[in-house]
Amino acid sequence: MDVDVSFVIPARDEELLIAATIQSIASAVCECQITSEVIVANDASKDATAEIAKSCGAKVVDVELHNIGAVRNAGAEVATGRIIFFLDADTQLPAKTLAAVLLAVENGAVGGGASVEFDEGITWFQRKLSHIFLYYWQGIGGWAAGCSIYVLRSVFEEIGGFDPQHFAAEERFLSEAIRRQGKFVIVKEPVLTSARKLRIYSTWHLLKVASHAMFIKRWKLRDRSGLEILYDAPREKEKE
């Protein structure tokens, strides 16, 4: 039976965060009183990501692709929801944000995203820079943040999903493709995502990667080299 929303979570070695993400979805779904499914596209994890996801009630699709767009597509292939909501494994979904997305779709949106807030453990300067980047990415560029993208399944299938040729900024190109199909809305209610990359990498390195995503030509994003931060970033250790 089809459901209202299919939540697709790409995951690679996310055993510390995946449970909290799935639990946030369950809470939001309960409050919004909709039907749903959670699909975790497990990209060759070497930890307990798959087992934890299954224990939380998610359907797990095992792949070995190491390409974020292709991993998301693999999860979407088994989705049955009218809406597909792509959520990163380190990102939690408040009920108010899900409610805003459902309202946007009810009012004619065929896709979009959500505002983003980062968790604790970063400096004021880092938080300010993240807000500036998001202002340019979402406010000026009009692109959904990769950690939270929603789209009607019929539209996602029509445009052919994420373009797996791109190893970075794939959400930018998907956003542009969705917008060509109809109304695109980024809701002001935020998701809460991990600031771990801000804690692990230097500000200069992050600025370089961000500028590539915003300004570099499409064909240069078809090479994974230099994108280790997106694919092979170290994971934070569990706090004592």
Side-chain angles (χ1 to χ4, degrees), residues 76-88:
E77 283 181 9
V78 301
T80 65
R82 175 173 176 254
I83 302 167
I84 301 178
F85 199 137
F86 296 96
L87 199 69
D88 278 359

Side-chain angles (χ1 to χ4, degrees), residues 110 141-144 174-184 186:
V110 301
W143 308 312
L174 184 79
S175 296
E176 292 169 353
I178 295 172
R179 187 177 287 109
R180 289 192 290 269
Q181 299 296 314
K183 188 177 177 181
F184 188 87
I186 298 175

Side-chain angles (χ1 to χ4, degrees), residues 129-130 132-134 136-137 143 168-169 171-172 198 202-216 221 226-227 229-230:
L129 282 178
S130 70
I132 292 170
F133 170 74
L134 287 167
Y136 276 95
W137 188 267
W143 308 312
E171 70 272 29
R172 167 183 162 186
L198 292 167
S202 71
T203 300
W204 167 248
H205 185 72
L206 291 169
L207 286 172
K208 183 170 67 172
V209 173
S211 65
H212 274 61
M214 286 191 291
F215 305 120
I216 205 165
L221 297 171
L227 298 175
I229 186 174
L230 302 178

Side-chain angles (χ1 to χ4, degrees), residues 148-197:
S148 56
I149 308 167
Y150 69 91
V151 60
L152 295 181
R153 179 159 57 99
S154 58
V155 170
F156 187 76
E157 292 172 349
E158 175 68 23
I159 62 181
F162 288 93
D163 185 348
Q165 293 183 90
H166 298 107
F167 290 95
E170 72 290 335
E171 70 272 29
R172 167 183 162 186
F173 306 123
L174 184 79
S175 296
E176 292 169 353
I178 295 172
R179 187 177 287 109
R180 289 192 290 269
Q181 299 296 314
K183 188 177 177 181
F184 188 87
V185 176
I186 298 175
V187 302
K188 69 179 188 302
E189 291 79 1
V191 294
L192 178 66
T193 198
S194 171
R196 58 185 173 179
K197 288 187 173 68

